Amino acid sequence: LGLRTSLDREGVLAIAVSVQSQASGECEVVRKRATALLRFMDTHCAALFKENFSLAAAGKMVGSGFKSLVSTLTTSSGSASVAPKQNGAAMDVETFKQKLLTVAWVPVLTEPPIPQLPWTEGRWPVACPMDVRPKEDLWVISFFAGIADCEVSSPELRKLFGWDKTADRALIAAQLVKLSEMEDVGDNADLQESLNASVFRIYSAFQSVVSTPEIDTIRAILDGHKWVWMGDDFAHPETVAFKCSLNARPMLSAVPGEMLAFGKFLRAMGVRESFAGRDYMRSLETLSQLHGTTALPSDQLELAVAMVQYVADDRTGCDGMSMFVPDEEAVLQPAANLVYNDAPWIMASTFTEEDLRFVHPRISIDVGEKVGLRSLRRLLLLRTSDAIDLGLQDAEAFGQTESLTGRLKHILEMYADGVGIFNELIQNADDARASEVSIIINRTSYASSSLLSPKMEAWQGPAIYFHNNAVFSPHDFKNLTRIGQGSKLDSLGKTGKFGLGFNAVYHFTDLPSFVSGEFLVYFDPHNRFLPGATPQHPGLRIKFTRNNILSQFPDQFKPYLLLGCNLQSEYKGTLFRFPLRGADSASQSDIKKQPYSMEDVDELVANFRRLGPDALLFLKNIRSIKVLEISDADAEPRTLYHVSAQADPPEDAQRFLSLPAFVEGKSNAPISKEQFFKQLQSTDPKALPRTDMTVDIVKAEDSGDIVTEKWAISSTIGAGKARQIAVHQATAHLRLVPWAGVAALLQTNIDSTQAIKGRAFCFLPLPTETGLPVHVNGYFELSSNRRDIWRGDDMAGEGRIRAEWNKALLEDVVAPTYARLLLRLSKQAKASEMEWYYSFWPGEVVAEPWTSLVRQVYSEASGLQVLYSAVGGGRWVRPADAMYVGEDWEHWEEGQ
């Protein structure tokens, strides 16, 4: 029949043209021919694309696809004339490629494999290669390009088709618009899964050109469309921000965690870091239009209350906008029509105005005033001041302004009961620049006749007290009312966190209180014990210097008459009281159902006494901790335990204060976070503050036993990668400070051959043991319960940043400080004390990140004279200049 037994480029092209000419014929037949040709090309394109391709080489294809290809074509068409004659010059490779790209011969899908997929009708079964994308691009460009109906594995052929590069990003952007217009996405889990994978590819393609003019084209195409993928549907970029703690969809949403990897692209497209008050105001107005005069459902009420709080925190650009706030019946009303109750101790019968509509009780007084509500106290005082009995003249509603009992219960689940509670209180006292703290165990039960309310009787029994010699500032009062909102994040010198760590005291009690300056403050999260306690302000703050409260309620306030507090004149310190939760109170508590007994207190104090000396090593200000006991109401406190720290010589303590002064400024001239970062970035690394000092720790027990310890402590504000991370704009919110220290126990007056078990510190000891022979302190990023440092190599986003920070802090700040401490100890060690000296060097440790620290310590020490050599009568050398010669070193001569 004249059939060929070989196939050259002209033949292949002729077959492609033949396929194209029959494109309008029977779809299945055309697809079968095109598929056969594409498979043949996929197998043999490498040979066809060679310049020295010959007919003889082509003849070798007979056993590897040519016969099958010809069979398919002749069987389908009834003709064997598929190639031109072989006489004449062969077609060159480039001509062959160009012509192949202009012929419609590649098999493509004619129907969408998924019903919802963006698609155009009337597609032919074949298309030009330049108009076709591989199947993996199905979701990325299905509306604007043909999708190959056959797999192609040959790199040469994929390159020819342009499949080795990303498709036209403008078309991809248009495809994203089509995807965003799909309906019922939220109810189709399979569709969501497909979209999730495709959006990842699309965003990746866009993120790679963020810094090029191409992003402007993408932005123009996406403008006005809902293109931000939320995991189950698309959202408009105006309704999305990187930070949004509220579940306010579809009005406001946070960028999903899995999308944070594309932050560079999202920011370039206008997605904001956080929402502003005006966004929440618009959302409240939307809720008002949606619900009208009907009460909000419980979940929507929760949302509305939270949004009102955010508006109160940010009123920028809100002038002229309508503000809506839920009233006491959970109906959204214009803010100007509502009144907040800032006189909760006044009986309701005192006022009868029918025109007063009260705000919902979950809106606090502070928030109500900021969003434009009217003050009940001011209204009533102006109208009927003669008829109002305000009771305690200078008492006002005060307390933690969140929904408390559930939140506190959750905090206690994170914060284990134990010594860590005392550590939190000590840390807060250190942040307040106190120099002395005392823990008082008061076993006394007080009388209960003259109390603020009968229910207060449950809290007149034994209590734990915590005293320090610093006075609460107005800012401290505010911090203590904001449960877990990171209220110290703008204060770089403060390592504790009022509002989260402090609330661990609810392990002990349901009614904490404290005296400081002119105020006595109670917290009542249940709104159950204090008169007038309400959900918006579950507590009471009394300015006792202007009220004779002691004579009005002597039994109530007698428990506070300790350590110089008389509740008449200003108290130059702070005294916390945590009455223990008894069995009856525990059974009714919504915070914790377990009582706290005196046996529990004794165990807690015993554990604290074992760790007490270490607590003073790295604190900035506190130099004395006492544990006292009161067994009778009229007895003086008895000292059970006292630990103190003193620098040797004492003036070294002042030099140490150069570190906190560098970070937070002096007490009379504090600096802001921004000022600190600017100073940190501009200071030469050699000029950054560092101190080396010796500290004597003395621990006195009530038994008369006294333990003394001498510690060498080195501290540093460091540079390197740790400084780069700290000053970077993207991490400024984390409050990272490259401050670290190392402490080594030099000697003690008790016989002990056992080395210390090195611990990690964040100014106070953490439960984490490092395996090092020294203690390591640093501004570590900690787990939320402050029990361990944040670590992990498998994290993403902010978690990865925190882990990288801790690693950088260890390698760039701790390691040089450790090496400097070794150099310092080498100058103190005698030739006969080498075993003592080398005991401070790190050995084997069990796990990261401490292993990487050890490696870096040895690297830092290699250039310091920290290695003792007995050669030449003994001298200190740098490890980099030394050679290990084995056990027969005595036979070596100096200079060898």
Side-chain angles (χ1 to χ4, degrees):
L1 297 176
L3 293 176
R4 290 176 176 271
T5 58
S6 64
L7 194 62
D8 58 9
R9 297 185 186 107
E10 290 85 348
V12 171
L13 187 59
I15 294 172
V17 172
S18 175
V19 171
Q20 175 180 259
S21 67
Q22 299 170 7
S24 60
E26 186 180 346
C27 183
E28 189 58 35
V29 173
V30 175
R31 180 183 291 108
K32 186 175 181 181
R33 295 172 186 169
T35 301
L37 177 57
L38 183 59
R39 288 175 177 167
F40 179 84
M41 285 294 298
D42 193 30
T43 304
H44 300 293
C45 71
L48 288 167
F49 290 169
K50 289 183 179 178
E51 289 293 345
N52 59 355
F53 176 76
S54 66
L55 294 179
K60 296 180 182 180
M61 300 179 188
V62 172
S64 59
F66 174 60
K67 287 184 177 181
S68 174
L69 173 61
V70 173
S71 174
T72 300
L73 294 170
T74 56
T75 301
S76 303
S77 66
S79 173
S81 181
V82 296
K85 295 180 180 180
Q86 298 183 14
N87 55 356
M91 181 184 294
D92 66 86
V93 174
E94 288 306 315
T95 301
F96 173 63
K97 289 182 178 179
Q98 291 302 318
K99 290 187 176 183
L100 203 60
L101 290 174
T102 61
V103 178
W105 63 273
V106 178
V108 295
L109 298 173
T110 57
E111 299 293 334
I114 300 172
Q116 299 90 339
L117 191 70
W119 201 261
T120 54
E121 300 297 329
R123 299 192 180 193
W124 283 16
V126 291
C128 293
M130 64 182 62
D131 298 327
V132 180
R133 296 299 298 178
K135 282 187 176 181
E136 58 260 32
D137 286 353
L138 177 67
W139 283 90
V140 175
I141 202 168
S142 64
F143 191 83
F144 300 97
I147 303 300
D149 196 16
C150 184
E151 298 293 340
V152 175
S153 59
S154 166
E156 294 87 352
L157 194 57
R158 291 180 69 91
K159 183 177 181 180
L160 176 65
F161 290 173
W163 294 358
D164 61 330
K165 298 178 181 179
T166 302
D168 187 331
R169 290 182 175 83
L171 294 180
I172 295 177
Q175 173 83 3
L176 180 57
V177 172
K178 292 293 182 181
L179 293 175
S180 70
E181 294 171 349
M182 298 172 68
E183 298 179 353
D184 302 324
V185 175
D187 300 325
N188 191 328
D190 293 336
L191 183 57
Q192 292 174 18
E193 184 176 354
S194 298
L195 283 170
N196 199 56
S198 62
V199 170
F200 266 66
R201 290 195 60 204
I202 292 173
Y203 283 5
S204 296
F206 293 163
Q207 182 144 292
S208 64
V209 295
V210 163
S211 302
T212 71
E214 194 171 353
I215 196 66
D216 296 329
T217 302
I218 296 171
R219 186 183 295 110
I221 294 172
L222 297 180
D223 185 41
H225 295 282
K226 295 181 178 181
W227 56 265
V228 181
W229 179 243
M230 303 304 298
D232 57 4
D233 208 345
F234 289 94
H236 195 282
E238 283 295 318
T239 67
V240 181
F242 283 92
K243 299 174 185 177
C244 178
S245 58
L246 302 180
N247 181 17
R249 293 185 64 185
M251 295 172 293
L252 300 174
S253 308
V255 174
E258 59 271 19
M259 292 291 119
L260 294 177
F262 306 107
K264 186 177 179 181
F265 161 66
L266 294 174
R267 289 182 173 90
M269 296 298 291
V271 176
R272 293 171 290 170
E273 292 298 321
S274 60
F275 293 115
R278 57 184 179 274
D279 298 304
Y280 295 107
M281 289 182 71
R282 281 193 290 265
S283 298
L284 286 165
E285 187 172 7
T286 300
L287 279 179
S288 176
Q289 294 169 353
L290 179 64
H291 294 280
T293 58
T294 60
L296 297 174
S298 58
D299 59 333
Q300 296 289 290
L301 175 62
E302 186 89 16
L303 177 62
V305 170
M307 287 195 290
V308 171
Q309 172 69 63
Y310 279 105
V311 174
D313 292 339
D314 180 14
R315 298 282 296 170
T316 305
C318 296
D319 294 342
M321 297 181 65
S322 299
M323 178 66 191
F324 289 84
V325 181
D327 65 15
E328 58 187 342
E329 297 178 353
V331 177
L332 283 170
Q333 302 283 353
N337 296 348
L338 295 179
V339 174
Y340 62 84
N341 185 357
D342 55 349
W345 55 84
I346 303 174
M347 296 181 63
S349 58
T350 306
F351 46 85
T352 58
E353 277 82 0
E354 296 180 356
D355 61 333
L356 293 183
R357 185 183 294 272
F358 286 98
V359 71
H360 194 277
R362 294 188 56 193
I363 302 298
S364 71
I365 293 174
D366 182 55
V367 169
E369 184 167 359
K370 289 180 179 179
V371 299
L373 305 188
R374 295 178 296 166
S375 162
L376 172 63
R377 184 190 299 185
R378 294 191 188 102
L379 287 173
L380 297 181
L381 286 174
L382 289 173
R383 297 178 185 180
T384 58
S385 58
D386 293 337
I388 297 176
D389 181 10
L390 292 178
L392 298 175
Q393 180 183 350
D394 289 287
E396 62 178 286
F398 182 81
Q400 289 155 318
T401 58
E402 296 187 17
S403 175
L404 292 183
T405 53
R407 174 67 172 141
L408 290 170
K409 182 178 181 181
H410 176 65
I411 288 177
L412 297 191
E413 291 171 355
M414 295 191 303
Y415 270 79
D417 181 19
V419 174
I421 303 174
F422 285 163
N423 284 347
E424 289 294 336
L425 296 170
I426 292 172
Q427 189 69 73
N428 289 340
D430 193 56
D431 289 341
R433 304 183 189 239
S435 61
E436 301 174 358
V437 299
S438 298
I439 300 167
I440 305 103
I441 310 305
N442 191 344
R443 304 178 185 274
T444 304
S445 292
Y446 292 88
S448 55
S449 298
S450 52
L451 303 178
L452 292 176
S453 75
K455 292 184 178 180
M456 295 290 285
E457 182 180 1
W459 308 104
Q460 288 293 99
I464 298 173
Y465 292 71
F466 186 87
H467 168 265
N468 68 73
N469 61 344
V471 179
F472 258 56
S473 68
H475 189 63
D476 291 333
F477 278 113
K478 182 178 179 181
N479 286 345
L480 204 57
T481 68
R482 297 171 64 89
I483 242 183
Q485 295 183 19
S487 48
K488 286 191 179 182
L489 290 180
D490 288 329
S491 302
L492 289 170
K494 300 187 182 300
T495 49
K497 293 184 180 180
F498 277 129
L500 186 59
F502 169 80
N503 289 286
V505 302
Y506 286 97
H507 276 295
F508 306 145
T509 185
D510 285 352
L511 194 79
S513 58
F514 68 90
V515 179
S516 188
E518 297 181 296
F519 297 98
L520 188 157
V521 175
Y522 283 98
F523 293 114
D524 180 9
H526 290 93
N527 312 312
R528 184 182 298 164
F529 307 104
L530 288 173
T534 60
Q536 66 266 37
H537 273 182
L540 191 68
R541 181 170 73 171
I542 303 170
K543 193 171 184 179
F544 58 80
T545 55
R546 294 186 181 178
N547 292 281
N548 193 11
I549 60 171
L550 191 58
S551 62
Q552 293 176 0
F553 306 100
D555 292 342
Q556 182 70 70
F557 299 116
K558 186 174 182 179
Y560 299 93
L561 304 181
L562 299 171
L563 303 180
C565 176
N566 59 19
L567 291 182
Q568 294 177 356
S569 57
E570 181 178 352
Y571 185 51
K572 302 297 185 180
T574 300
L575 178 65
F576 290 92
R577 181 174 184 265
F578 309 123
L580 302 183
R581 182 187 295 109
D584 291 341
S585 297
S587 66
Q588 302 175 50
S589 177
D590 295 330
I591 299 174
K592 187 173 182 178
K593 294 295 184 182
Q594 291 74 37
Y596 214 90
S597 66
M598 286 308 304
E599 290 75 14
D600 297 326
V601 174
D602 291 338
E603 181 180 357
L604 176 65
V605 170
N607 291 334
F608 177 76
R609 290 168 71 168
R610 284 194 292 271
L611 299 175
D614 291 351
L616 293 175
L617 289 175
F618 296 108
L619 290 174
K620 301 185 287 289
N621 299 290
I622 293 176
R623 292 295 174 262
S624 171
I625 300 176
K626 292 181 180 180
V627 177
L628 310 175
E629 180 185 47
I630 299 175
S631 55
D632 184 85
D634 297 318
E636 289 295 319
R638 182 174 68 92
T639 302
L640 300 178
Y641 170 85
H642 181 203
V643 59
S644 61
Q646 183 173 351
D648 182 18
E651 52 267 24
D652 280 359
Q654 291 300 316
R655 284 194 288 270
F656 169 77
L657 292 178
S658 64
L659 275 75
F662 183 84
V663 174
E664 58 190 283
K666 297 180 180 180
S667 58
N668 59 349
I671 63 175
S672 67
K673 182 172 63 176
E674 291 73 19
Q675 289 173 313
F676 163 73
F677 284 140
K678 184 177 181 180
Q679 175 180 255
L680 175 64
Q681 190 170 22
S682 62
T683 302
D684 186 280
K686 295 180 180 179
L688 289 171
R690 60 175 62 180
T691 61
D692 299 301
M693 64 179 186
T694 302
V695 174
D696 293 328
I697 304 288
V698 179
K699 180 178 69 173
E701 300 279 357
D702 56 341
S703 62
D705 295 335
I706 297 178
V707 176
T708 60
E709 297 174 349
K710 188 176 290 291
W711 292 79
I713 303 175
S714 294
S715 301
T716 306
I717 302 291
K721 185 178 179 182
R723 177 166 70 170
Q724 295 174 10
I725 295 175
V727 301
H728 197 282
Q729 184 177 1
T731 60
H733 66 287
L734 293 177
R735 194 190 65 170
L736 306 176
V737 181
W739 178 344
V742 179
L745 177 61
L746 302 180
Q747 65 185 57
T748 178
N749 68 333
I750 59 174
D751 294 331
S752 177
T753 58
Q754 185 177 5
I756 67 167
K757 294 182 179 180
R759 305 183 77 89
F761 282 63
C762 187
F763 294 88
L764 280 165
L766 303 172
T768 302
E769 290 188 1
T770 64
L772 300 169
V774 296
H775 293 320
V776 173
N777 175 58
Y779 253 94
F780 295 114
E781 281 296 289
L782 305 180
S783 58
S784 59
N785 60 4
R786 291 176 56 86
R787 294 181 61 81
D788 199 358
I789 73 170
W790 193 289
R791 56 185 172 185
D793 297 327
D794 58 346
M795 297 183 180
E798 192 165 288
R800 183 176 180 180
I801 293 175
R802 292 174 186 269
E804 289 179 351
W805 163 255
N806 285 339
K807 188 172 186 293
L809 188 64
L810 287 171
E811 294 180 358
D812 296 342
V813 188
V814 175
T817 305
Y818 196 159
R820 191 175 82 243
L821 177 66
L822 294 174
L823 178 63
R824 173 188 170 192
L825 295 179
S826 71
K827 297 177 181 180
Q828 300 178 16
K830 301 176 183 177
S832 60
E833 298 176 334
M834 287 303 102
E835 182 177 354
W836 170 83
Y837 167 68
Y838 287 120
S839 70
F840 298 111
W841 283 70
E844 295 182 0
V845 291
V846 294
E848 290 287 2
W850 312 111
T851 301
S852 63
L853 168 63
V854 170
R855 288 193 296 266
Q856 191 63 26
V857 169
Y858 278 92
S859 175
E860 293 284 344
S862 65
L864 303 176
Q865 292 182 338
V866 293
L867 188 66
Y868 182 75
S869 172
V871 175
R875 60 181 175 176
W876 292 92
V877 299
R878 301 188 311 161
D881 298 334
M883 177 181 293
Y884 179 71
V885 296
E887 298 296 332
D888 57 346
W889 66 273
E890 293 180 347
H891 301 293
W892 286 61
E893 297 180 3
E894 184 175 1
Q896 283 187 306

